[in-house]
Amino acid sequence: MQLKTLLLTTLLPISLTLSGCGGMGGGASDAVTARENMMKDWSDAKEIMQKMVEKPQTFDAAEFQKQAQFLADSADSPWQHFSDAKDKNNATDAVWTDAAGFKAAAEKYQQATAQLNAAAKTATSAADVAPALKQVGASCGGCHKTYKVDE
């Protein structure tokens, strides 16, 4: 019984204390999590639309419009979460050292998603939205080339 008591009174509190420290210092900040979640959602939406463009027979105008609207409506969301260089994670230093360029890249994305959304509202085929979707992809890639660490 003494061994069991020793384990419960000594090792259990130590292990609980250490497990409570697991998220300290090593996890992503709220800002990093927020911007990464938004960009993951964008990627998911873009993938849905890209599949329709790659297989035009699967084009669903209502679904495409829904995804394009989501991109346009949320296009200004993650940029506020790049305010602190301490929340760098997989962003390059250029986000903060070239703030004007980063802002311009964000605005280019917002313009591209607005154009995609406008095209989607009247689209009856994948061909109607393919050029605008390509511009959204180019905007993403252009920003990532300069402002995201290669993984």
Side-chain angles (χ1 to χ4, degrees), residues 55-109:
K55 295 183 179 179
Q57 69 277 15
T58 66
F59 184 74
D60 176 342
E63 182 61 26
F64 197 99
Q65 187 175 357
K66 175 182 161 189
Q67 300 303 325
Q69 182 76 50
F70 165 70
L71 291 183
D73 288 348
S74 62
D76 64 348
S77 297
W79 317 117
Q80 66 188 341
H81 301 293
F82 285 94
S83 59
D84 190 344
K86 290 184 278 182
D87 289 328
K88 185 175 173 180
N89 202 33
N90 64 354
T92 66
D93 289 332
V95 168
W96 296 276
T97 61
D98 180 23
F102 184 66
K103 181 179 179 188
E107 289 170 354
K108 184 176 180 180
Y109 175 77

Side-chain angles (χ1 to χ4, degrees), residues 15-151:
S15 66
L16 289 174
T17 300
L18 292 175
S19 69
C21 295
M24 297 182 67
S29 71
D30 289 344
V32 169
T33 300
R35 70 186 189 226
E36 287 182 350
N37 285 343
M38 178 53 62
M39 290 183 186
K40 169 72 171 93
D41 291 344
W42 286 351
S43 179
D44 292 345
K46 187 177 172 294
E47 184 178 330
I48 290 168
M49 292 183 287
Q50 187 65 41
K51 286 180 181 178
M52 288 186 220
V53 168
E54 290 171 358
K55 295 183 179 179
Q57 69 277 15
T58 66
F59 184 74
D60 176 342
E63 182 61 26
F64 197 99
Q65 187 175 357
K66 175 182 161 189
Q67 300 303 325
Q69 182 76 50
F70 165 70
L71 291 183
D73 288 348
S74 62
D76 64 348
S77 297
W79 317 117
Q80 66 188 341
H81 301 293
F82 285 94
S83 59
D84 190 344
K86 290 184 278 182
D87 289 328
K88 185 175 173 180
N89 202 33
N90 64 354
T92 66
D93 289 332
V95 168
W96 296 276
T97 61
D98 180 23
F102 184 66
K103 181 179 179 188
E107 289 170 354
K108 184 176 180 180
Y109 175 77
Q110 292 168 12
Q111 291 169 353
T113 59
Q115 290 170 354
L116 175 64
N117 189 41
K121 287 181 179 182
T122 60
T124 58
S125 72
D128 295 336
V129 290
L133 182 61
K134 185 175 182 177
Q135 289 304 309
V136 170
S139 173
C140 293
C143 190
H144 286 186
K145 182 177 180 182
T146 304
Y147 301 106
K148 183 180 179 199
V149 174
D150 287 333
E151 293 182 43

